[in-house]
Amino acid sequence: MSMTGMAVPLSAGERVSFHDEQARRRRGTWRLAAICLAIAATMGLVTGAIAGPFVMLSLGGILNLIAALGIFPQAANDAAVGIGQWAAAKLDLLGLVTDNLDKLETWHDHTVMAERLADLLPAFLPGLALSALLWIGFQRLARRDGAEDLAEALRARPPRPGDLEEKQLSNIVEEVAIAAGLPAPRVLLVDSPTVNAAAIGTSHDHATLLVTRGLLDTLSRDETVGIIGHLVGSVGNGDLAVMRSLVAVFQVKGFFLTILDLPFRWSAWKALASLGTVVVHPNPAPARVAEALHSVEAGLSTDATEEINRNLSEGRFKTLRLILMFPLLLVMLIAIMQKLILQLWTLFFLGWPLAALWRTRRYLADSTAVQLTRNPEALESALGKLGSIPEGGEARDYLFVHAAGHDTGPNAKGFSTRRGIADSIQPSLAARVGRMKAQGSGLVGWTNRITPGRVLGYGVLSLILGPLVGMILVLVGMLTAGTVVASLSFGLVVTAALLT
């Protein structure tokens, strides 16, 4: 932006072709995806600390069952005992590591500590491997849903054959799909006055466009072509698969926390039962799949913690319940620590690059629309007329062409609020319009010039916030390390005690 904060003529150097814009956004996608993967893997160490030992415990239990059935009893028993001894050895190593952390003085001490930490890493591997398998499984399960529950929630319907505008919409979708070299998506209308549209489905071969009636009544034909170009471009760019992979990260974390919550809340049992039902069902209803995935992911929310508090403090036989749950107090503490750390990491580390990644995909879809329609002015005009999310579509707000700014307040149900992400997952309309102008929609646009005043402002802000950010990083790091040690110690103790 200029120093005066007003629109200024774009110079030749500030212009950009849609090819360059797409290349930039694809590079940004890869960089942000790598950052998200690294952060998610680090968060996986937290859940892996408790999941790893219990994977081995489950394996030992299966071996004991095989031995009890008389199938290679000696070999099965020896293998189960070996797992218990492995857990005991890792527990001793963990104790050695924690006892010597404050005794690191020489380079040799640090080398020895690094070797011990490397020897401790296998204790996390079973949990990390399980997390990877669950991540793949949740994505495959989401493909069976294809976000069709959104169409049901919005009561979307096929175009009426006698309605000329709705027939014209179908023709526009076919034209843009041909230009993109894709099969024409199915078209459904949403009887809502708001101006918006969304793309759902499992892939570009099985995609559906949801278009509100308000969009048809408000936009011109060229503007409608621009919005359809954005949606078809998003489908062709693989955004449906990208978002499934991002959501699956939260579903994996929620699954582990749901397991830990089993002794303390009835909804955890219902969530796993619902998940198991849709997994084994050959053709579950989309709404049932969405409900199962949301219920598992609810393990991350504060609602789950509030339910546990109510179960412990309300109702009849309160004292008896507290006595019966006392042996499980450590499990509850581990679950609370795990949930706290995952929420902190999402808020301070994962949420920002994840939101930036999806904003990058929106810019990419915009530039693809410019490529398909060769009419950036129409898309710019259409973006300025878009409205809110139709009622019933809040949980899938990320699928709509525009959803920025609505996901706020205590009762918000959008992607960011439900997952503890502080940043918006969609760019502002002003930013998107600015990119349209840079791609040729007008002679005047918003620039992003670096000025001395801006440099000074960033410098002062860094000096003020730098120490605060450092303190937050240290605090979160200490809490994370404590949670990992406590979770791993508990899992190894239980595994060693039950299998040796």
Side-chain angles (χ1 to χ4, degrees):
M1 189 177 294
S2 66
M3 291 184 66
T4 60
M6 298 178 63
V8 297
L10 289 172
S11 66
E14 291 164 343
R15 295 286 189 187
V16 61
S17 69
F18 60 77
H19 285 298
D20 292 338
E21 180 76 1
Q22 289 176 23
R24 172 190 174 189
R25 299 305 174 183
R26 288 194 171 96
R27 289 194 301 269
T29 294
W30 283 109
R31 286 194 295 267
L32 291 168
I35 294 172
C36 289
L37 178 62
I39 296 173
T42 304
M43 294 171 67
L45 291 176
V46 179
T47 51
I50 189 67
F54 280 98
V55 169
M56 303 306 293
L57 177 61
S58 300
L59 179 59
I62 293 173
L63 290 171
N64 283 330
L65 178 60
I66 292 174
L69 295 175
I71 304 174
F72 303 109
Q74 186 62 44
N77 274 323
D78 290 345
V81 171
I83 292 175
Q85 293 174 344
W86 171 86
K90 295 302 178 186
L91 182 62
D92 292 338
L93 180 59
L94 178 61
L96 194 61
V97 168
T98 55
D99 289 342
N100 288 277
L101 281 177
D102 58 345
K103 301 176 183 178
L104 301 177
E105 298 178 356
T106 65
W107 177 254
H108 179 264
D109 293 337
H110 287 84
T111 303
V112 172
M113 179 60 68
E115 293 174 351
R116 289 171 177 170
L117 290 174
D119 292 338
L120 193 60
L121 185 61
F124 297 89
L125 294 182
L128 292 174
L130 178 60
S131 297
L133 292 175
L134 287 171
W135 181 68
I136 295 172
F138 277 118
Q139 289 186 78
R140 293 180 64 86
L141 186 59
R143 280 181 61 89
R144 300 172 70 179
D145 166 24
E148 289 290 337
D149 62 294
L150 177 60
E152 296 179 8
L154 297 177
R155 298 191 178 100
R157 58 171 176 80
R160 297 188 181 99
D163 191 309
L164 294 181
E165 285 194 344
E166 295 182 6
K167 184 177 181 180
Q168 183 186 66
L169 174 64
S170 298
N171 294 335
I172 289 173
V173 171
E174 291 181 3
E175 293 171 6
V176 176
I178 291 173
L182 299 174
R186 181 178 57 151
V187 179
L188 295 177
L189 273 295
V190 178
D191 291 315
S192 170
T194 187
V195 181
N196 220 322
I200 63 175
T202 58
S203 67
H204 63 270
D205 291 321
H206 301 91
T208 299
L209 304 188
L210 305 177
V211 181
T212 65
R213 183 66 211 195
L215 185 144
L216 289 185
D217 296 335
T218 304
L219 303 189
S220 67
R221 187 186 190 281
D222 285 346
E223 291 169 338
T224 302
V225 170
I227 294 299
I228 297 302
H230 172 96
L231 294 175
V232 172
S234 177
V235 171
N237 291 333
D239 286 349
L240 298 175
V242 171
M243 182 49 77
R244 279 199 302 271
S245 66
L246 296 178
V247 174
V249 172
F250 295 93
Q251 291 163 347
V252 171
K253 308 305 179 187
F255 175 82
F256 285 127
L257 292 177
T258 300
I259 296 292
L260 290 174
D261 284 350
L262 286 176
F264 313 111
R265 60 182 180 94
W266 176 242
S267 61
W269 291 93
K270 293 171 63 178
L272 291 184
S274 178
L275 180 64
T277 299
V278 298
V279 167
V280 301
H281 197 287
N283 189 28
R288 294 290 300 275
V289 176
E291 179 185 357
L293 294 175
H294 289 161
S295 63
V296 169
E297 199 177 336
L300 287 165
S301 68
T302 56
D303 293 339
T305 304
E306 292 174 359
E307 181 183 349
I308 294 175
N309 293 335
R310 289 196 303 270
N311 292 339
L312 295 177
S313 60
E314 299 177 3
R316 301 173 61 187
F317 309 112
K318 172 184 174 181
T319 303
L320 179 60
R321 287 201 308 273
L322 291 175
I323 293 174
L324 293 176
M325 288 188 176
F326 182 77
L328 299 173
L329 185 61
L330 188 55
V331 177
M332 183 187 299
L333 180 61
I334 294 294
I336 292 173
M337 293 172 65
Q338 287 269 341
K339 188 173 300 185
L340 173 63
I341 292 303
L342 292 178
Q343 289 173 344
L344 289 175
W345 272 77
T346 299
L347 177 63
F348 292 117
F349 306 115
L350 180 62
W352 303 101
L354 190 149
L357 172 59
W358 194 244
R359 291 197 300 270
T360 297
R361 302 302 294 185
R362 302 277 50 77
Y363 286 124
L364 177 59
D366 285 344
S367 62
T368 305
V370 174
Q371 177 185 8
L372 296 175
T373 65
R374 297 299 201 277
N375 193 349
E377 292 89 352
L379 179 56
E380 177 197 344
S381 177
L383 289 174
K385 298 178 182 179
L386 292 179
S388 60
I389 301 296
E391 185 177 355
E394 295 84 0
R396 301 277 194 175
D397 58 346
Y398 51 87
L399 297 174
F400 286 85
V401 177
H402 171 61
H406 87 284
D407 193 16
T408 57
N411 298 318
K413 301 177 182 178
F415 179 90
S416 297
T417 299
R418 289 167 64 94
R419 293 161 180 85
I421 298 174
D423 201 6
S424 174
I425 62 169
Q426 293 211 25
S428 67
L429 288 179
R432 294 172 70 174
V433 167
R435 297 314 303 165
M436 288 297 97
K437 292 185 181 298
Q439 293 174 75
S441 69
L443 297 177
V444 176
W446 292 96
T447 65
N448 192 30
R449 295 171 182 166
I450 299 177
T451 64
R454 176 176 290 188
V455 172
L456 179 61
Y458 284 151
V460 173
L461 190 62
S462 299
L463 290 176
I464 296 174
L465 296 182
L468 178 60
V469 172
M471 291 176 59
I472 291 175
L473 292 176
V474 171
L475 179 60
V476 173
M478 293 175 62
L479 289 173
T480 302
T483 300
V484 169
V485 171
S487 301
L488 186 60
S489 299
F490 176 74
L492 292 174
V493 166
V494 174
T495 302
L498 294 179
L499 295 181
T500 54

